Amino acid sequence: MEYQIHGGQLPVVIMTLAPGEKAVTEAGGMSWMSTNMKMETAMKGGLKGGLGRALVGDSVFLNTYEAQGGPGILACASSFPGSILAFDLAAGESIIAQKGAFLAGSDTVKLSIALRKKIGVGLLGGEGFVLQRIEGPGKVFLEIDGSYVKYSLKEGEQLIIDPGHMAVES
């Protein structure tokens, strides 16, 4: 999957899928697509997966898009001012994100819930007890409120991050 992220405060990710390649979005996540894209809606992960997505404020259903007869284009725009971040997750690698952060990704990416274990963080952290786990392998696009800052920490360096913000190890 090739992609480009365009725009300022209301960005869009435009994915180019090879023939037979698939991507997933939440129901209603597609902004535009080429005419050779086949779309199917399903409760990916069964009832358990759908209910888990509902708990984090996402749609119970996911749309799967497949390019047919040549390369296809699928675009997904952010639904609020902010940024779109792209990650290429290895098998077993995961990201814990705020509710509603998942925008789109490869059809191999698994979505589930992540529960906070500390009561104080769940009550006072601003994000609640239920977060979203996105697990590879595959590309994933997250929409976040506002902008982001990237740090490269040296061996042994640490940052303390407010629970309402996201940190990803890479």
Side-chain angles (χ1 to χ4, degrees):
M1 174 190 306
E2 295 180 19
Y3 68 90
Q4 295 180 338
I5 298 174
H6 295 282
Q9 287 299 306
L10 288 168
V12 61
V13 59
I14 303 171
M15 298 165 269
T16 302
L17 281 64
E21 190 172 22
K22 297 178 181 180
V24 295
T25 71
E26 284 194 350
M30 181 270 297
S31 297
W32 65 86
M33 66 182 183
S34 56
T35 58
N36 67 322
M37 295 296 286
K38 176 184 171 188
M39 181 187 86
E40 293 180 350
T41 302
M43 195 182 313
K44 193 171 179 177
L47 183 60
K48 182 180 176 185
L51 291 176
R53 285 189 297 279
L55 280 174
V56 296
D58 289 338
S59 173
V60 172
F61 297 97
L62 292 175
N63 290 339
T64 301
Y65 299 86
E66 181 180 359
Q68 297 187 327
I73 294 173
L74 172 64
C76 298
S78 181
S79 57
F80 48 79
S83 302
I84 295 175
L85 303 179
F87 298 94
D88 198 0
L89 300 176
E93 188 177 19
S94 64
I95 294 173
I96 306 292
Q98 67 188 25
K99 297 182 254 185
F102 177 77
L103 181 62
S106 303
D107 73 322
T108 53
V109 172
K110 289 179 12 184
L111 304 172
S112 60
I113 62 171
L115 300 174
R116 292 195 193 235
K117 294 179 173 58
K118 293 185 178 181
I119 292 175
V121 174
L123 290 174
L124 305 173
E127 295 298 320
F129 286 101
V130 181
L131 297 171
Q132 192 171 41
R133 177 184 306 276
I134 302 123
E135 186 176 341
K139 286 191 180 5
V140 65
F141 302 97
L142 304 181
E143 59 179 327
I144 62 168
D145 301 348
S147 298
Y148 65 96
V149 177
K150 184 175 181 177
Y151 287 95
S152 295
L153 302 179
K154 295 180 182 129
E155 185 71 33
E157 278 187 305
Q158 296 181 346
L159 286 176
I160 297 172
I161 300 171
D162 180 79
H165 294 67
M166 181 172 91
V168 176
E169 182 179 354
S170 60

